[in-house]
Amino acid sequence: SMRELLRLHLEGAGYEVTVAADAIEAGYLVLKSPPDLILTDVDMPFMDGFEFIAAMRADPSVPRVPVIFLTSFEEGDVRGKELGAVGYLTKPVRAEKLLGLVAQHVPGGTIPIG
């Protein structure tokens, strides 16, 4: 799956990665232990990545965590930026582009992938 491929690339680069199956699980993980970066797909079950990040941004108890959106839809770039995204990658994601963007925002931390 895409999540596992991303996890392998990121762990191979030395990052600690937590993978969530959907936005509900990712939200729980973020509330439990805020990460250094959120890497989220726009197309997820239950709520899309934009709704997930909007919910996280609306909760004052959640620290403002940098977000990178993944999608196969290029038109979402504007919406992602409105939510404060630090990056936006279209699928298929090239490993070097992913790692370069992540390195700009997380020198070495935890990244949940949803």
Side-chain angles (χ1 to χ4, degrees):
S1 86
M2 175 65 83
R3 286 187 304 261
E4 288 306 309
L5 184 59
L6 295 170
R7 182 187 61 77
L8 288 172
H9 285 305
L10 292 164
E11 286 181 347
Y15 294 99
E16 180 184 332
V17 179
T18 304
V19 178
D22 55 49
I24 305 299
E25 185 179 347
Y28 171 77
L29 292 170
V30 170
L31 290 172
K32 181 179 168 189
S33 179
D36 296 316
L37 176 79
I38 296 172
L39 181 60
T40 184
D41 200 324
V42 171
D43 185 26
M44 292 190 296
F46 307 115
M47 66 172 54
D48 68 30
F50 297 130
E51 294 167 329
F52 165 60
I53 296 304
M56 293 292 100
R57 297 287 194 242
D59 185 338
S61 71
V62 177
R64 191 147 177 102
V65 176
V67 175
I68 297 173
F69 285 103
L70 300 172
T71 189
S72 50
F73 307 106
E74 292 189 32
E75 69 276 0
D77 188 27
V78 172
R79 185 154 182 219
K81 287 180 181 172
E82 288 172 356
L83 291 168
V86 297
Y88 196 86
L89 298 170
T90 54
K91 298 180 214 174
V93 176
R94 295 182 51 190
E96 56 276 356
K97 189 168 183 177
L98 167 71
L99 295 174
L101 186 56
V102 169
Q104 290 177 25
H105 302 284
V106 183
T110 58
I111 305 169
I113 300 175

